[in-house]
Amino acid sequence: MSAHSASPDRRRFTSEELGFDPEVLRAKYRTERDRRLRPDGAAQYRRAVAEFGYAAADPYTERAERAAVGDRVEAVVVGGGFGGLLTGARLREAGVADIRMVDEAGDFGGTWYWNRYPGIHCDIESYEYLPLLEEVGYVPKWRYAPGEEIRQHAVAIAKHYDLYRDTLFHTRVTELRWDDEAAEWQVRTDRGDDFQARYVVVSSGTLTQPKLPGIPGIETFRGHTFHTSRWDYGYTGGTADGGLHKLADKKVGVVGTGATGIQVIPHLGRDAQHLYVFQRTPSSVDMRDNRPTDPQWTASLKPGWQRERMENFLTVVTGGHAEHDLVGDGWTSTARLQRKMLPGDVETGLSAEDREYVDEIADFRKMNQIRARAEEIVQDPATAELLKPWYRYMCKRPTFSDLYLQTFNRPNVTLVDTADFGGITRMTENAVVVGDAEYEVDCVVFATGFEAGISGVVSGTLPVYGRDGIPLLQAWSQGPRILHGFYSHGFPNLFHLGALQNTAAVNFVHILQEQATHIGEVVTAARKHGARRIEPSVVAEDAWIATIRANARDNYAFQAECTPGYYNNEGKPRPVSNSYGPGPVAFHDLLRRWRADGGINDVLVDA
Ligand code: NDP
């Protein structure tokens, strides 16, 4: 049967036609998931606080003493990552003169400030990941940019838009309190600052706080340890480009084989005397094919090229229709594989059940390729087998590397599978123990990821008090109420960035850019009309929540089948996503229409 012939009553492919048996794969995926499910779920991790606080300290910039500020600014932006920088840039373009950027880090860059581990690169193509390239006048040197180039670009954006002028680094905002009379926010910080701001933008990120595994005995280990997001080059030597020469006489253990582990492990494998990779779940590792930017291509770029490329990537990876795939990499080819199996436009012709069937078959094919790749590259068959991922493609962040699997062919690298034990069994003064086997190490590197969604207003780490002193979380006691994911009734002039009641995509910087543009336009309108407050009505909030619910995508079944990880709350998925179901392309369109149709006027108050 041709993949294009059946619609809408699809006949199912036979195992002979497919070359594999879907039932066998489904059963294998379930068995592998069940081996890894832990009753303690997300509670298995330890927060990098108190005795483990060292794991979150800033190793890059010394904290300078400074006097507390008690002045007034027009806008304060909480978070100096790309979300904050993009909003700062758009507010500057909107004519806002006094912008104060605040961040817990010692400089701009957000995740690219903190993460400087060897091998760090962005896994999204740099030409659509690094924002404001045309505005700043820069073309990345590599197709997939190293972390330092991305961090430098963040700094360049801050300089270009004059955002350094009034910054408070190494500063955490501890309270936002609305002053209705002044129509301003009172902002307090952990450095004793207490100042007023007309507008507050919260862009505090999602994966911000490093987490450590709750391994019994972790505190008894006397060797050296650190988290990948606080790399200790003093101990390892070298730089983000590698050359970790101080590890030449060290036995090193690394815990974690997610998107970070995949980038770090080739360097540790090359430079350590011996490397033990403690793996619980293998990642899918596809080809990378990084290369320097072709100067002829750069010379051919026409104004508007970046927007076009970003839109094209977003459309292709979210399954939409695009004439050409301008990027043509691992992300887009996987999405195209899924589309190729569909008999027409994604939106038409197929029942939900048929659509899911087609998706699943395409997924099996992709993952079979990924598993075959491990078998081709890794010489020892038993090791190759352990490196094969048995779950659907998007259960975990897909990874790309032309060095990772090859590392397991080195004689000084040992893969230690921990899946049967739910992870590492325990640590002693000088060793990592898995089952009964003890591995003596000098150093353990934790590539164990971050607490998801704990920063900012939703988790309560940043308390917000709106009109009449009402706490934000009280106003949201029946669930978040955020018109288009930006603002809430009772909390005027406060903007949120993030996926909640908004949208998400693998290139999250694109989402942030659209959010920043929207905020910039709303503030521009408020200034033009002399509105003191930007605030949606309860009616508008209700309507938006109803829209989100009516269009909600129920990912529960998919997530529940997935191997545990932070994507599915460690095997305990939440029922329904609280983002706009039809996806980012449709959402951005909706926002543009809302602005063009005068929707902005509905959120301007006291004009
Ligand atoms: P992850 O949460 O993806 O991975 C953590 C790893 O630690 C997993 O392999 C996990 O195993 C393992 N682990 C945790 N506890 C134990 C234990 N007790 N014993 C053994 N292993 C354990 O973190 P990452 O830092 O790799 O990635 C986080 C996110 O950061 C990514 O999903 C991505 O969004 C982003 N990122 C993006 C990059 C980019 O290029 N854009 C690059 C790097 C990261 P298990 O899977 O079994 O839980």
Side-chain angles (χ1 to χ4, degrees):
M1 180 184 86
S2 139
H4 293 257
S5 64
S7 169
D9 292 321
R10 292 184 69 82
R11 182 167 75 74
R12 296 322 200 209
F13 294 103
T14 65
S15 301
E16 286 68 37
E17 285 167 333
L18 290 170
F20 59 87
D21 183 346
E23 260 319 310
V24 171
L25 281 178
R26 280 185 205 116
K28 173 75 173 164
Y29 284 14
R30 284 202 190 110
T31 311
E32 291 291 327
R33 175 203 59 190
D34 291 349
R35 286 172 74 205
R36 292 173 174 87
L37 275 175
R38 289 174 51 133
D40 50 357
Q44 68 182 278
Y45 289 100
R46 285 190 193 218
R47 306 197 65 189
V49 294
E51 59 182 307
F52 296 103
Y54 70 88
D58 184 350
Y60 314 115
T61 314
E62 212 162 300
R63 184 182 152 113
E65 285 313 315
R66 65 168 177 80
V69 300
D71 54 356
R72 181 196 176 277
V73 292
E74 193 165 358
V76 62
V77 179
V78 183
F82 280 133
L85 284 165
L86 283 158
T87 316
R90 295 299 182 227
L91 290 176
R92 198 62 98 204
E93 285 169 353
V96 177
D98 305 324
I99 302 173
R100 170 167 291 151
M101 311 282 297
V102 185
D103 200 294
E104 290 183 59
D107 200 349
F108 287 112
T111 195
W112 302 104
Y113 174 86
W114 293 111
N115 285 281
R116 305 190 193 192
Y117 55 79
I120 183 168
H121 279 72
C122 184
D123 61 10
I124 306 280
E125 204 193 52
S126 57
Y127 316 126
E128 57 271 3
Y129 180 80
L130 271 68
L132 305 177
L133 286 175
E134 290 188 74
E135 289 84 343
V136 173
Y138 186 67
V139 176
K141 295 188 176 65
W142 286 85
R143 186 172 188 208
Y144 299 96
E148 182 57 15
E149 187 181 11
I150 304 174
R151 193 181 71 78
Q152 290 293 347
H153 184 63
V155 167
I157 292 172
K159 287 183 179 158
H160 185 83
Y161 289 94
D162 189 20
L163 297 173
Y164 271 102
R165 203 197 303 159
D166 210 4
T167 48
L168 299 178
F169 287 127
H170 283 153
T171 302
R172 185 162 56 85
V173 175
T174 50
E175 186 185 282
L176 298 171
R177 195 174 280 276
W178 176 249
D179 175 346
D180 206 38
E181 218 173 279
E184 289 188 338
W185 287 94
Q186 183 148 20
V187 183
R188 296 205 171 92
T189 78
D190 65 347
R191 306 288 296 260
D193 309 303
D194 189 348
F195 58 95
Q196 305 284 123
R198 165 126 307 163
Y199 302 114
V200 177
V201 178
V202 180
S203 178
S204 45
T206 45
L207 297 171
T208 46
Q209 191 68 15
K211 66 181 170 18
L212 297 172
I215 301 170
I218 186 174
E219 67 287 346
T220 62
F221 183 65
R222 293 285 155 256
H224 200 69
T225 64
F226 54 89
H227 188 273
T228 45
S229 68
R230 307 289 189 274
W231 196 269
D232 187 349
Y233 284 105
Y235 180 82
T236 65
T239 66
D241 294 328
L244 312 173
H245 58 94
K246 292 188 184 171
L247 297 181
D249 59 351
K250 300 278 190 297
K251 289 197 268 306
V252 177
V254 58
V255 185
T257 52
T260 301
I262 263 64
Q263 297 186 339
V264 160
I265 284 165
H267 289 281
L268 291 175
R270 199 175 50 205
D271 295 332
Q273 182 197 83
H274 198 94
L275 177 68
Y276 295 99
V277 177
F278 296 101
Q279 169 187 276
R280 191 164 59 186
T281 313
S283 279
S284 71
V285 189
D286 210 344
M287 197 178 70
R288 177 66 306 171
D289 191 23
N290 199 3
R291 50 178 182 261
T293 302
D294 176 359
Q296 277 187 348
W297 176 77
T298 305
S300 75
L301 296 172
K302 306 267 181 309
W305 71 268
Q306 192 184 23
R307 167 151 291 281
E308 189 193 355
R309 203 171 178 90
M310 287 171 82
E311 296 289 353
N312 180 264
F313 182 75
L314 189 68
T315 303
V316 174
V317 295
T318 54
H321 177 75
E323 281 302 314
H324 305 286
D325 170 7
L326 294 178
V327 175
D329 73 352
W331 292 105
T332 61
S333 65
T334 302
R336 280 190 295 124
L337 175 73
Q338 256 151 358
R339 249 198 98 80
K340 220 166 59 186
M341 297 191 65
L342 295 170
D345 275 342
V346 176
E347 301 76 20
T348 58
L350 284 185
S351 67
E353 198 189 326
D354 280 343
R355 168 81 204 259
E356 166 50 24
Y357 173 74
V358 166
D359 276 358
E360 193 194 26
I361 295 296
D363 202 305
F364 284 142
R365 284 189 171 155
K366 180 71 208 175
M367 293 305 282
N368 281 343
Q369 278 172 16
I370 297 276
R371 289 185 281 263
R373 186 167 185 260
E375 217 165 81
E376 271 159 34
I377 294 173
V378 180
Q379 285 150 10
D380 173 46
T383 306
E385 202 53 37
L386 290 172
L387 287 163
K388 290 182 186 171
W390 297 101
Y391 47 80
R392 285 182 66 166
Y393 189 66
M394 283 308 290
C395 283
K396 282 194 178 284
R397 176 113 184 163
T399 75
F400 306 87
S401 172
D402 300 331
L403 305 169
Y404 176 72
L405 293 167
Q406 291 79 350
T407 299
F408 295 93
N409 294 332
R410 299 182 65 97
N412 67 324
V413 175
T414 308
L415 178 66
V416 182
D417 194 57
T418 70
D420 278 335
F421 309 95
I424 288 164
T425 308
R426 65 194 161 87
M427 284 171 77
T428 67
E429 272 193 17
N430 61 349
V432 175
V433 182
V434 179
D436 296 331
E438 205 163 312
Y439 302 88
E440 237 178 70
V441 285
D442 300 298
C443 165
V444 176
V445 178
F446 291 110
T448 43
F450 304 86
E451 293 187 71
I454 61 126
S455 68
V457 298
V458 182
S459 64
T461 43
L462 168 48
V464 180
Y465 302 91
R467 192 178 299 111
D468 302 325
I470 306 278
L472 184 83
L473 293 187
Q474 186 180 312
W476 290 359
S477 59
Q478 305 299 313
R481 304 178 51 81
I482 332 175
L483 177 59
H484 298 148
F486 290 111
Y487 19 55
S488 295
H489 183 77
F491 301 85
N493 298 355
L494 173 65
F495 301 95
H496 308 281
L497 272 78
L500 199 57
Q501 299 187 351
N502 195 288
T503 189
V506 286
N507 183 9
F508 203 69
V509 171
H510 186 161
I511 304 300
L512 294 169
Q513 180 155 322
E514 293 292 332
Q515 294 177 345
T517 299
H518 185 83
I519 294 169
E521 297 221 5
V522 173
V523 169
T524 301
R527 289 163 63 87
K528 187 170 149 207
H529 296 289
R532 294 177 81 212
R533 289 186 287 135
I534 297 167
E535 183 181 6
S537 66
V538 173
V539 174
E541 275 180 359
D542 283 341
W544 182 238
I545 291 166
T547 304
I548 295 262
R549 287 208 183 118
N551 292 284
R553 279 185 73 170
D554 188 351
N555 267 337
Y556 186 83
F558 178 90
Q559 292 292 351
E561 292 290 320
C562 278
T563 190
Y566 79 90
Y567 274 20
N568 69 350
N569 190 29
E570 303 297 336
K572 299 180 180 176
R574 296 178 180 96
V576 185
S577 135
N578 204 350
S579 295
Y580 184 62
V585 174
F587 179 69
H588 294 156
D589 201 41
L590 179 150
L591 275 188
R592 279 184 210 115
R593 275 186 282 114
W594 182 85
R595 294 197 299 258
D597 294 347
I600 290 183
N601 295 327
D602 297 340
V603 295
L604 303 186
V605 187
D606 299 341

